[in-house]
């Protein structure tokens, strides 16, 4: 497993806390709109923390081709 940067660690911890609060809120009888927002936001944060933040070569090539066509056209 790769090492996480400080920003990624903060996002991961925030995601875990939001997910736990969402689960706890569900059992405490909050309305679905309140607890589901917290739960899904936390789950998304946990997923976002592990995304690769470096652009791949393929993406760079595609973007360069896209901008060349716009400048020439």
């Amino acid at each position: 497993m790769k090492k996480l940067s400080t920003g990624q660690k903060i996002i991961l911890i925030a995601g875990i806390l939001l997910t736990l609060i969402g689960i706890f809120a569900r059992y405490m009888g909050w309305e679905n709109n309140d607890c589901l927002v917290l739960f899904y936001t936390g789950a998304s944060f946990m997923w976002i923390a592990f995304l690769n933040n470096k652009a791949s070569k393929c993406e760079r090539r595609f973007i360069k081709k896209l901008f060349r066509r716009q400048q020439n056209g």
Side-chain angles (χ1 to χ4, degrees):
M1 190 163 160
K2 68 177 187 171
K3 273 190 150 184
L4 298 176
S5 68
T6 305
Q8 289 173 316
K9 288 177 186 176
I10 291 170
I11 290 174
L12 180 64
I13 291 168
I16 291 170
L17 288 175
L18 284 172
T19 303
L20 291 175
I21 291 171
I23 292 170
F24 179 71
R26 179 70 178 133
Y27 288 110
M28 292 302 293
W30 290 15
E31 291 186 25
N32 281 341
N33 293 339
D34 296 334
C35 63
L36 285 178
V37 169
L38 294 172
F39 178 78
Y40 285 118
T41 303
S44 298
F45 272 27
M46 287 189 294
W47 177 72
I48 289 170
F50 291 102
L51 287 178
N52 188 4
N53 56 359
K54 296 179 182 177
S56 69
K57 292 180 183 179
C58 180
E59 292 172 355
R60 289 183 202 151
R61 287 184 206 146
F62 175 73
I63 291 172
K64 285 181 182 179
K65 285 181 183 179
L66 182 68
F67 282 118
R68 266 191 244 142
R69 287 181 186 167
Q70 288 179 354
Q71 290 173 356
N72 293 336

